[in-house]
Amino acid sequence: MTRGRLMKVVAVLVAVAALGFEGFAKDAGTFDFRKGFAGVAAKATPAVVFIQVEKQVPVGNMYSFNNPFDLFGEDFAERFFGVPRQARPGQPDRRAPNRSRQQMYRQTGQGSGFIISKDGYILTNTHVVGDVDKITVRLADGREFQAKRIGADPRTEVALIKVESEGDLPVLEIGSTEDLQIGEWVVAIGNPFGLKETLTVGVVSAKGRSNIGITDYEDFIQTDAAINPGNSGGPLLNIDGEVVGINTAIFSRSGGYMGIGFAVPIDMAMSIKEQLVASGKVTRGYIGVFLNPGEVTEEMARSFGRSEAGGVLIAEVEKEGPAGKAGIRSGDILTELNGAKIKDNTSFRNEVARIMPNKKAEITLYRDGKPKKVTVTVGTFPDDAALAGGPQGVEGLAERIGFEVQELTEDVAQQLGYEGASGVVVSDVDPASAAYEKGLRAGMLIIEVNRSEVKSIRDFEKAVGKGKDKSVLLRVKTREGTVFMNLPISD
């Protein structure tokens, strides 16, 4: 056997191993290994769009808007919050504003999306088309449209925009995450670094990834298909060219691809899309319980009279909430929701959120070693009405108080010297605001609001909302120490 022929045989065997022997036997007569994933590219690329956004921002703004794609990079604090690790000799402090004259400039960002209907609906990420003034969509065939934001859901990073057309738009087929298997081939298409119609290939590394700190409702597909900034909002496809996810984030220490990317499952995204089309906002189910962190191990379960591990442990119940009214108590272990086994905290939270308000849910729980069934009338998650649709939520709050905050992740805590602390980090302060005048700056840590401890953005929003006066009392940790600040809230 010649060397050339031997190399071809080896290439085929490698391809067989990659596809799986069953898949190879099935497709042996039709699959052309030389063309690889060209069929998927030809089918999907026309419906993948390049999104450019614009916003007028003050000169000296603390961070680049719509750029949380690398949520784990070691330079996160500098790129996202605008807090450099050390001053650069000979350079002025660009964060010091000219208070007498507020200068503005046009800032641009970019990302990806994909068309899901002939009438112009496009799925993308919230951080791609978040707080922006203008959205421009370009197709692979060169056509350009101005898009309208229909709605966005920061809690899942799913956003929906729309362009007006005459029904001649290319459309991607929607697949199902339920059928997706670990080890299955997937293809990512998008516009990394502005390089249009880029295709990368990998496999499904894991499903159901949660507790990552990207969004509130996490059920991510993990893939090693190369994803870079600009891919955000683009489709993750199976080998049949069907969408199985929306590329959303990467784990990176460098700002670039390191083999770990995350995509929102398309089943979740389409559920969000239906609500955004219907009302421009997302409504979630809510039962008013606080779950004990971590898994319910066999040892933990025995402490509450149950011999089997699994389920979720109730740490606290809101007395006037749906669960409290149904008789659920602290110390109960919930094991089934509507007849389905409860796996863990994240899956339970996601499943409750999918139940529409005013619907009844049957829950099986263990109390004192005995099973019990209760029926809960699901309520509406309190924050979603304001947060999901338009600018009323976090963005509107930021305008009223003059600054914005972000979660304190481990990387940011290490960068800013807040290891072991809890709170929310100030990410941007309006130079014309009272907050700036009182001395609040990006990089400071807010640990209390209106004398209530805050550990998350949700805690922060609730505490600000409980203020009776048109002011908010902050307890702020700075490099010099801890101080109180009383700031006005505008109407």
Side-chain angles (χ1 to χ4, degrees):
M1 181 180 295
T2 65
R3 177 179 175 82
R5 180 162 182 159
L6 176 62
M7 293 301 292
K8 289 182 181 180
V9 171
V10 170
V12 170
L13 290 175
V14 169
V16 170
L19 287 173
F21 288 100
E22 181 179 350
F24 178 78
K26 179 181 177 180
D27 299 324
T30 60
F31 193 86
D32 188 341
F33 294 106
R34 296 171 299 174
K35 294 184 178 179
F37 299 90
V40 178
K43 180 180 180 180
T45 298
V48 179
V49 301
F50 174 79
I51 298 175
Q52 181 171 304
V53 294
E54 299 177 13
K55 180 177 176 60
Q56 294 290 324
V57 298
V59 173
N61 196 27
M62 300 301 176
Y63 64 93
S64 298
F65 80 104
N66 292 352
N67 188 33
F69 190 79
D70 174 8
L71 298 170
F72 302 96
E74 59 186 13
D75 294 325
F76 178 81
E78 182 171 357
R79 285 200 305 274
F80 194 73
F81 293 124
V83 182
R85 291 187 224 175
Q86 58 185 10
R88 299 178 183 178
Q91 290 192 2
D93 182 2
R94 289 178 289 179
R95 294 177 293 167
N98 180 357
R99 300 277 304 277
S100 63
R101 191 176 189 180
Q102 184 75 38
Q103 293 182 323
M104 306 290 288
Y105 73 99
R106 185 173 64 103
Q107 193 171 33
T108 63
Q110 62 188 34
S112 305
F114 53 95
I115 305 170
I116 58 172
S117 68
K118 289 287 186 181
D119 55 350
Y121 282 108
I122 296 171
L123 278 174
T124 184
N125 283 149
T126 297
H127 71 259
V128 173
V129 295
D131 182 18
V132 300
D133 301 325
K134 182 180 179 181
I135 305 172
T136 303
V137 170
R138 296 192 187 98
L139 274 64
D141 61 12
R143 283 183 289 173
E144 185 173 298
F145 300 89
Q146 297 304 309
K148 174 185 177 182
R149 194 176 86 159
I150 303 301
D153 181 35
R155 297 196 185 281
T156 58
E157 265 297 319
V158 175
L160 185 70
I161 61 176
K162 190 177 188 298
V163 298
E164 297 300 327
S165 75
E166 298 181 358
D168 58 344
L169 297 174
V171 175
L172 278 182
E173 292 183 32
I174 304 299
S176 173
T177 313
E178 292 296 324
D179 301 330
L180 201 63
Q181 299 180 20
I182 296 174
E184 183 176 336
W185 285 108
V186 284
V187 175
I189 302 180
N191 306 284
F193 304 107
L195 300 172
K196 299 179 184 179
E197 297 120 42
T198 297
L199 179 146
T200 55
V201 176
V203 298
V204 175
S205 304
K207 292 177 63 179
R209 287 292 193 214
S210 59
N211 300 318
I212 300 169
I214 300 173
T215 61
D216 289 342
Y217 294 91
E218 297 183 336
D219 189 25
F220 289 111
I221 302 166
Q222 181 184 327
T223 179
D224 65 349
I227 297 173
N228 286 290
N231 273 105
S232 194
L236 187 70
L237 307 149
N238 61 22
I239 201 167
D240 296 319
E242 299 169 333
V243 183
V244 294
I246 305 176
N247 300 321
T248 299
I250 56 174
F251 185 98
S252 176
R253 295 292 181 186
S254 63
Y257 168 70
M258 291 188 69
I260 300 177
F262 300 101
V264 175
I266 195 61
D267 296 346
M268 177 187 287
M270 292 302 289
S271 174
I272 298 298
K273 172 256 179 186
E274 294 298 328
Q275 292 196 55
L276 293 178
V277 170
S279 63
K281 65 182 182 180
V282 177
T283 302
R284 290 184 173 84
Y286 151 86
I287 63 172
V289 296
F290 297 89
L291 305 179
N292 195 65
E295 298 179 1
V296 180
T297 63
E298 188 174 321
E299 181 181 3
M300 175 73 79
R302 280 199 299 269
S303 301
F304 292 88
R306 188 172 187 244
S307 59
E308 185 181 346
V312 296
L313 175 62
I314 302 300
E316 187 178 345
V317 180
E318 293 182 4
K319 291 183 180 179
E320 298 303 318
K325 292 178 179 178
I328 294 176
R329 304 176 191 169
S330 172
D332 287 346
I333 296 178
L334 311 190
T335 58
E336 290 184 5
L337 175 63
N338 289 331
K341 187 176 180 180
I342 297 173
K343 299 177 183 178
D344 53 34
N345 288 4
T346 300
S347 63
F348 176 70
R349 191 163 178 256
N350 289 344
E351 288 303 320
V352 170
R354 291 190 181 106
I355 302 173
M356 295 305 294
N358 299 319
K359 295 286 187 181
K360 295 187 182 300
E362 188 176 76
I363 294 177
T364 300
L365 60 85
Y366 271 76
R367 182 185 299 162
D368 300 327
K370 299 177 181 179
K372 180 180 180 179
K373 289 184 183 288
V374 298
T375 300
V376 180
T377 301
V378 176
T380 302
F381 195 87
D383 293 341
D384 281 338
L387 181 63
Q392 300 95 340
V394 178
E395 296 163 10
L397 178 61
E399 292 175 3
R400 293 175 60 217
I401 61 179
F403 64 94
E404 298 181 10
V405 296
Q406 294 293 334
E407 301 282 3
L408 179 66
T409 65
E410 291 184 8
D411 282 348
V412 174
Q414 185 177 5
Q415 295 265 352
L416 301 179
Y418 297 138
E419 294 94 333
S422 61
V424 293
V425 181
V426 178
S427 59
D428 183 35
V429 184
D430 182 353
S433 69
Y436 192 97
E437 186 175 349
K438 292 288 184 71
L440 194 68
R441 297 291 184 271
M444 291 183 176
L445 183 69
I446 297 175
I447 54 180
E448 286 184 8
V449 176
N450 293 328
R451 304 308 300 269
S452 296
E453 185 180 10
V454 295
K455 296 183 178 181
S456 65
I457 290 178
R458 185 177 304 160
D459 291 345
F460 175 81
E461 293 168 2
K462 288 181 178 178
V464 171
K466 289 179 180 177
K468 296 181 180 179
D469 301 321
K470 291 186 177 181
S471 64
V472 56
L473 178 64
L474 307 179
R475 188 165 176 242
V476 182
K477 187 177 181 65
T478 71
R479 292 178 182 176
E480 288 75 33
T482 303
V483 298
F484 284 100
M485 295 183 185
N486 194 28
L487 308 178
I489 301 177
S490 63
D491 295 327

